[in-house]
Amino acid sequence: MHRFAKPSVFLKLTGAMMPWVVALTVILTATGLYLALIGSPVDYQQGNTVRIMYIHVPAAWMGLFCYVGMALCGAMSLIWKHPLADICARATAPVGATFTALTLVTGSLWGEPMWGTWWVWDARLTSMLILLFLYLGYIALVNAFDDPERGSKAGSALALVGAINVPIVKFSVDWWNTLHQPASVARMGGPSIDPSMLAPLLIMAFAFTGYYFIVLVLRVRLELNQRRIRALQLSGLFDERPVASGDHDELAYDQGHNAGASK
């Protein structure tokens, strides 16, 4: 993974991929929404309320997926000192928090007509709320220090400790008696959900994944540019000559990384 540590390599690779990912994400989103809102059948018990599932479930999957990615990046930052790992973790946290918050909101909208209440303190809902707090805690912690290096280490440690909550969220419906139904997609013996509902659900999940990749790349690029500008300002090069891509990106990033580490 260290060959992708150079900003120039990362920017070149993601720059080539972005148009294809954007186009694919738009197609998947349009197709998924059409199938979810029009093409899929109405549930015989829940009626049209079941259509909330096509946003709620993929958002929940992405909330867990983003946290696992954030924790892995934290581990790479702590153990192997991967230069871009911390940046990716910081870029992932707000996206994962948004997906988790969307899960809780859509879950409340779906639960009220089905359960007769907006919120219950069952294992799945409580563990998802804890996941949101872990995201918010990470965001607050990495920005709580004047020294970015200390903030990164503290945030990475929190992300790794909080990863224990991910299997709790996943298996909470199996370990405890909750209002949520057991797993119907990722289960032994194959999915139990009807294919007419499974198809739009998976399409929306892939669309959400594409959206996450797009936002992640944009946020990483923004952070790299901000670090480059700060490094060039400190070195006095910012006002002397225009900034080019490639080696200047790597030089500026290394200067900014070393400047932060020396504080």
Side-chain angles (χ1 to χ4, degrees), residues 19 32 38 40 68 99 105 167 173 179 191-192 202 205 259 261:
I38 301 175
S40 62
V68 171
F99 279 126
V105 171
V173 293
L179 291 176
S192 61
L202 295 179

Side-chain angles (χ1 to χ4, degrees), residues 3-260:
R3 61 179 173 176
F4 300 110
K6 293 183 178 180
S8 59
V9 175
F10 175 84
L11 294 174
K12 181 179 180 180
L13 179 63
T14 56
M17 295 173 60
M18 277 289 280
W20 299 97
V21 175
V22 170
L24 181 61
T25 301
V26 171
I27 294 172
L28 289 173
T29 302
T31 304
L33 288 176
Y34 171 80
L35 293 176
L37 299 177
I38 301 175
S40 62
V42 176
D43 187 78
Y44 75 101
Q45 286 183 323
Q46 303 182 43
N48 282 311
T49 308
V50 75
R51 301 189 190 281
I52 299 175
M53 171 182 69
Y54 301 111
I55 300 296
H56 174 75
V57 175
W61 289 345
M62 290 305 302
L64 296 175
F65 176 81
C66 289
Y67 195 91
V68 171
M70 188 177 74
L72 290 176
C73 287
M76 293 174 65
S77 177
L78 285 175
I79 300 172
W80 294 290
K81 309 296 183 184
H82 194 287
L84 290 181
D86 175 61
I87 298 177
C88 289
R90 289 172 180 255
T92 295
V95 186
T98 302
F99 279 126
T100 306
L102 181 61
T103 302
L104 295 172
V105 171
T106 54
S108 295
L109 294 174
W110 193 8
E112 198 281 330
M114 296 298 103
W115 300 339
T117 182
W118 296 98
W119 181 267
V120 290
W121 292 98
D122 77 343
R124 174 60 63 83
L125 287 172
T126 304
S127 56
M128 282 300 295
L129 182 62
I130 292 174
L131 185 68
L132 177 60
F133 289 155
L134 287 170
Y135 274 121
L136 298 179
Y138 174 88
I139 295 171
L141 192 59
V142 295
N143 294 293
F145 296 88
D146 292 332
D147 183 2
E149 190 75 14
R150 293 179 60 192
S152 298
K153 291 181 179 179
S156 298
L158 175 62
L160 289 173
V161 173
I164 190 63
N165 188 54
V166 173
I168 294 176
V169 174
K170 175 65 176 70
F171 298 107
S172 58
V173 293
D174 301 318
W175 294 344
W176 295 284
N177 183 23
T178 72
L179 291 176
H180 281 81
Q181 68 179 35
S184 57
V185 178
R187 59 188 292 272
M188 296 295 292
S192 61
I193 187 172
D194 188 85
S196 62
M197 293 183 171
L198 180 61
L201 189 64
L202 295 179
I203 291 174
M204 289 301 297
F206 286 121
F208 277 27
T209 305
Y211 170 80
Y212 161 68
F213 177 82
I214 294 169
V215 176
L216 175 66
V217 171
L218 292 177
R219 288 181 58 84
V220 170
R221 284 183 174 182
L222 176 62
E223 179 62 25
L224 288 175
N225 286 331
Q226 289 176 341
R227 293 191 180 195
R228 181 176 65 180
I229 291 174
R230 287 195 299 266
L232 291 176
Q233 287 175 334
L234 290 174
S235 64
L237 298 176
F238 184 79
D239 296 326
E240 295 180 7
R241 55 193 175 93
V243 180
S245 59
D247 294 339
H248 287 178
D249 289 344
E250 299 171 17
L251 174 61
Y253 176 81
D254 292 338
Q255 291 174 341
H257 184 71
N258 295 332

